[in-house]
Amino acid sequence: MSLLSKTKPLFKRINFTSLTIVVSILLALLSLWYFNSQKIYYVGSDIYYYFSLSDSLNKFGYLSDLTRVPAWSLKTPQNGIVFLVNLLENTGMSKASIITQLPSLLFILYSFSFIPIYKITKLFKFNKSQTNLVALFYFSNWWIYRLQLLPSNDGFFNVLSFWFIYLVLENWLNRKKTLIPIFAIALISPHFRIHTFLILISLVIATYLSKKRKNLMKSLLIFATSYASLKLFFLTKYVNPFDKDIGNAGAQITGMFNRFFGESNRNFILPLLASFSKQIHLAIPSLFLTPLDRISPTLNWLYLPILFFPLYYFAKGIKDKKFTYLFLSLFISISFLFSLVTPYFSERHYAYTYIFVIILMVKFLYSKSVLRPFLYIYLF
């Protein structure tokens, strides 16, 4: 018997789902090891700012930035991680331990948060091969780990958004009783990132456009609950009386839009184009593969088709009145548009959309046999 004939039964017995799981675990653990061994938790982290707020909370009973003299007011309404840091410090953990061990907690949360992503692929009726592809994209992107594991608000917000989106889809589509955890996440999430409101705005619009009028009141109530949670926090004793206005997320967002559309900047097209160019040349390439500037900056425009998938499924969702397409495509698109008018253009501000862009990309490319090879080329 030839060696080839002996190996054929072996290949038949290979379970590629199990292989995907093994590869995903290895990639994840390798990324965690590299992150810790290179001490990346010290690079580009706001953890010392969070420590100063925690120290202020312990010393004065309210949040204030003690990294400056005199102490400054809060920079942002996003301070959820401060209370976690404060809790860990009060249980006896040193600041050094928090810096080095918090990434491991974020790693565990991110790993387990593939559960809602997996369930979302089932709602999209993905077969095993498609789900395996999504899993490999989820666990193999080093830059996502780089953003996810830094001790900051982002890592917690990202996993909260995954669970929130899944729970909403289950409730809206299958009428599962997930409203309690939905409202719980809506209460917590804006304290980690005001991008929560971009998801909630998308939820309201998608519910309306998909003619799910019975769910429209629920979506508005969830939005109101989330906004009230953030607003009421800034009326508590934990906030310096001089910082009350920073709790107005609406005012902050309005200020960002005035940066482009205000009276002082009537020609808003040029700033928008400049911001769009930065997104295409810096943020999107970093998030979805790597910037190609070393070869030629022009090559970064090859990432432009990434924006096609949410636009395509938004149009398809409008045509078919399909809530899943509308919801995912809307919060991806709105998050990108929001990034154009903010003072920052870092990919960290819409890293939570990465895996959902991948889901839409797999959905589209896998359905076209001619385009399917490009999906595997991109993955490997």
Side-chain angles (χ1 to χ4, degrees):
M1 185 181 292
S2 67
L3 179 62
L4 182 61
S5 62
K6 287 181 180 179
T7 56
K8 278 184 178 180
L10 174 64
F11 285 106
K12 287 182 180 180
R13 291 195 301 269
I14 289 178
N15 186 322
F16 283 99
T17 299
S18 299
L19 183 61
T20 299
I21 293 172
V22 171
V23 171
S24 297
I25 292 173
L26 289 174
L27 289 171
L29 292 175
L30 182 62
S31 297
L32 178 64
W33 170 80
Y34 183 79
F35 186 91
N36 287 327
S37 66
Q38 299 299 310
K39 296 181 171 55
I40 296 175
Y41 37 71
Y42 289 122
V43 182
S45 175
D46 297 326
I47 190 64
Y48 297 105
Y49 169 71
Y50 303 138
F51 281 143
S52 75
L53 296 183
S54 177
D55 291 342
S56 172
L57 187 60
N58 288 331
K59 187 174 182 179
F60 304 113
Y62 58 80
L63 302 177
S64 185
D65 182 6
L66 301 182
T67 61
R68 298 175 183 269
V69 179
W72 278 30
S73 61
L74 296 175
K75 297 178 182 178
T76 169
Q78 304 160 149
N79 299 292
I81 193 174
V82 176
F83 290 92
L84 176 61
V85 167
N86 186 262
L87 175 65
L88 294 175
E89 283 191 288
N90 288 329
T91 58
M93 287 186 69
S94 66
K95 287 180 170 61
S97 296
I98 292 173
I99 292 174
T100 57
Q101 294 180 29
L102 201 55
S104 296
L105 173 61
L106 289 165
F107 173 81
I108 293 170
L109 290 174
Y110 181 75
S111 299
F112 277 98
S113 291
F114 182 70
I115 295 172
I117 300 301
Y118 170 80
K119 291 180 179 290
I120 289 172
T121 64
K122 295 308 174 187
L123 293 175
F124 271 78
K125 298 184 177 0
F126 278 14
N127 59 34
K128 286 185 178 180
S129 296
Q130 290 172 293
T131 303
N132 290 342
L133 284 169
V134 172
L136 290 172
F137 276 111
Y138 185 88
F139 288 105
S140 65
N141 190 328
W142 156 248
W143 198 248
I144 291 293
Y145 287 108
R146 166 70 173 76
L147 300 173
Q148 175 67 27
L149 301 187
L150 282 176
S152 67
N153 284 300
D154 298 343
F156 292 99
F157 167 72
N158 292 342
V159 298
L160 284 171
S161 66
F162 296 167
W163 282 100
F164 180 83
I165 290 162
Y166 160 66
L167 292 170
V168 164
L169 290 175
E170 285 284 24
N171 188 275
W172 262 239
L173 300 178
N174 300 326
R175 297 183 179 179
K176 289 192 175 181
K177 297 179 180 179
T178 59
L179 279 179
I180 292 177
I182 285 174
F183 275 96
I185 294 175
L187 284 167
I188 298 170
S189 186
H191 297 282
F192 290 96
R193 276 250 166 251
I194 60 172
H195 292 69
T196 298
F197 298 115
L198 304 183
I199 298 175
L200 295 175
I201 290 169
S202 303
L203 174 61
V204 173
I205 297 173
T207 302
Y208 177 80
L209 292 177
S210 60
K211 306 297 183 183
K212 290 186 175 291
R213 302 298 165 80
K214 291 182 180 180
N215 292 321
L216 186 58
M217 187 55 66
K218 282 193 295 188
S219 63
L220 291 170
L221 187 57
I222 293 167
F223 182 92
T225 300
S226 190
Y227 184 78
S229 172
L230 187 64
K231 188 72 175 177
L232 291 175
F233 170 74
F234 281 84
L235 300 177
T236 67
K237 65 177 182 179
Y238 299 112
V239 180
N240 188 325
F242 297 104
D243 286 344
K244 299 300 181 183
D245 290 340
I246 201 170
N248 190 345
Q252 283 205 339
I253 294 172
T254 301
M256 293 174 184
F257 277 89
N258 286 339
R259 176 170 166 257
F260 285 94
F261 309 120
E263 290 294 325
S264 62
N265 196 3
R266 293 181 179 275
N267 186 12
F268 60 85
I269 295 178
L270 291 179
L272 278 178
L273 289 176
S275 183
F276 181 80
S277 179
K278 288 179 180 178
Q279 298 294 336
I280 293 296
H281 285 81
L282 295 173
I284 290 180
S286 296
L287 192 60
F288 286 91
L289 190 59
T290 185
L292 301 174
D293 296 49
R294 292 182 179 180
I295 303 174
S296 170
T298 307
L299 291 178
N300 283 326
W301 288 100
L302 292 174
Y303 290 97
L304 194 59
I306 293 291
L307 302 178
F308 163 79
F309 302 110
L311 294 176
Y312 172 82
Y313 280 102
F314 175 72
K316 190 170 178 59
I318 289 286
K319 179 183 176 183
D320 300 337
K321 301 293 186 290
K322 194 158 185 176
F323 175 75
T324 49
Y325 292 166
L326 286 169
F327 186 31
L328 265 64
S329 62
L330 270 170
F331 80 74
I332 292 169
S333 302
I334 290 175
S335 297
F336 178 77
L337 291 173
F338 181 72
S339 70
L340 295 181
V341 298
T342 60
Y344 314 101
F345 57 87
S346 171
E347 64 279 5
R348 61 180 283 209
H349 296 114
Y350 51 91
Y352 65 99
T353 67
Y354 161 78
I355 194 60
F356 297 103
V357 174
I358 293 298
I359 288 173
L360 296 183
M361 183 177 70
V362 170
K363 176 76 174 174
F364 181 83
L365 294 181
Y366 198 88
S367 65
K368 318 287 183 184
S369 57
V370 177
L371 298 177
R372 196 176 301 172
F374 291 99
L375 191 58
Y376 290 95
I377 292 171
Y378 173 48
L379 175 61
F380 295 105

